[in-house]
């Protein structure tokens, strides 16, 4: 799509550093330079204000990635693109059937109500819960990894959704300030909300997580 739009050598393309190295790779394969902008701390998608701050006269496009079942602020990003004469491309996630999304939302609502000591995602904006991502705050240092190990030891299949932001990878290393991206990479943890989970499974997840409250600061 980038090549078809004429994006190539000498152009810059604004992309997120939180996840999806393939996006930066695609920009590089088109001959352009990926430029990383920060994310919104709630949606984990590109922050329109950060995108605008990253623009230069060489910027030709923005690639927006929808994340974890949440949608980026597309109206603002398209308005920015129209104002600046930029191509705005979207990369979505595979869409689940409506009944599956409804079941995921039920499980997410249960976790929202029961979990303590972690910051839950909330879902008032049409969240489809491709992943249920919580924040594990640290006590002066990230405690997410210790929390994840302890939860896994109790039989809960959790995972770190983004282990290394793209701007930290050797092939795309940049000296750029992305505080929300860094914080999200250090604090986020995906808990299961699969439709196959039973109520007993959900209770096990809550019990395992809430038993570890001593590792955490109070969530806010």
């Amino acid at each position: 799509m980038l090549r078809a739009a004429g994006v190539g050598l000498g152009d810059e393309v604004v992309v997120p550093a939180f996840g999806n190295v393939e996006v930066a790779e695609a920009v590089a394969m088109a001959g352009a330079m990926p430029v990383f902008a920060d994310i919104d701390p709630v949606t984990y998608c590109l922050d329109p204000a950060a995108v605008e701050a990253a623009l230069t006269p060489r910027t030709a496009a923005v690639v927006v990635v929808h994340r974890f079942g949440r949608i980026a602020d597309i109206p603002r990003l398209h308005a920015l693109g129209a104002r600046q004469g930029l191509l705005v491309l979207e990369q979505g996630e595979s869409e689940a059937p409506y009944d599956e999304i409804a079941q995921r939302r039920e499980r997410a609502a249960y976790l929202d109500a029961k979990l303590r000591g972690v910051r839950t995602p909330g879902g008032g904006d049409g969240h489809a819960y491709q992943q249920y991502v919580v924040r594990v705050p640290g006590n002066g240092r990230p405690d997410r990894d210790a929390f994840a190990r302890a939860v896994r030891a109790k039989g809960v299949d959790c995972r770190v959704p983004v282990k290394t932001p793209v701007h930290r990878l050797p092939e795309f290393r940049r000296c750029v300030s992305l505080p929300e991206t860094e914080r999200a990479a250090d604090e986020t943890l995906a808990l299961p909300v699969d439709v196959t989970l039973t109520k007993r499974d959900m209770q096990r997840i809550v019990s395992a997580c809430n038993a570890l409250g001593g590792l955490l600061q109070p969530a806010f």
Side-chain angles (χ1 to χ4, degrees), residues 109-183:
Y110 178 85
L111 294 178
D112 284 347
K114 299 291 186 180
L115 288 174
R116 302 288 179 266
V118 297
R119 196 176 311 160
T120 58
D125 58 354
H127 202 327
Y129 294 102
Q130 295 283 3
Q131 296 187 60
Y132 183 88
V133 177
V134 300
R135 296 273 192 143
V136 182
N139 299 314
R141 60 178 177 78
D143 284 328
R144 187 269 319 277
D145 293 341
F147 184 90
R149 286 193 297 271
V151 168
R152 288 189 196 108
K154 292 177 178 288
V156 174
D157 182 21
C158 64
R159 69 184 195 85
V160 175
V162 176
K163 294 181 179 178
T164 307
V166 182
H167 72 294
R168 288 191 203 159
L169 297 175
E171 61 270 40
F172 291 110
R173 193 173 298 281
R174 301 282 191 278
C175 183
V176 59
S177 176
L178 303 174
E180 295 298 344
T181 296
E182 298 278 354
R183 192 171 296 116

Side-chain angles (χ1 to χ4, degrees), residues 8 21 34 50 79 85 93-94 115 130 149 156 202 215:
V21 68
E93 298 169 303
S94 58
L115 288 174
Q130 295 283 3
R149 286 193 297 271
V156 174
M202 300 304 296
L215 286 173

Side-chain angles (χ1 to χ4, degrees), residues 23-58:
V23 174
E25 288 173 341
V27 172
M29 287 175 64
M33 172 73 72
V35 173
F36 300 109
D38 213 356
I39 58 171
D40 178 277
V42 174
T43 66
Y44 303 106
C45 304
L46 280 175
D47 177 0
V51 171
E52 187 164 16
L55 300 181
T56 76
R58 298 173 63 184

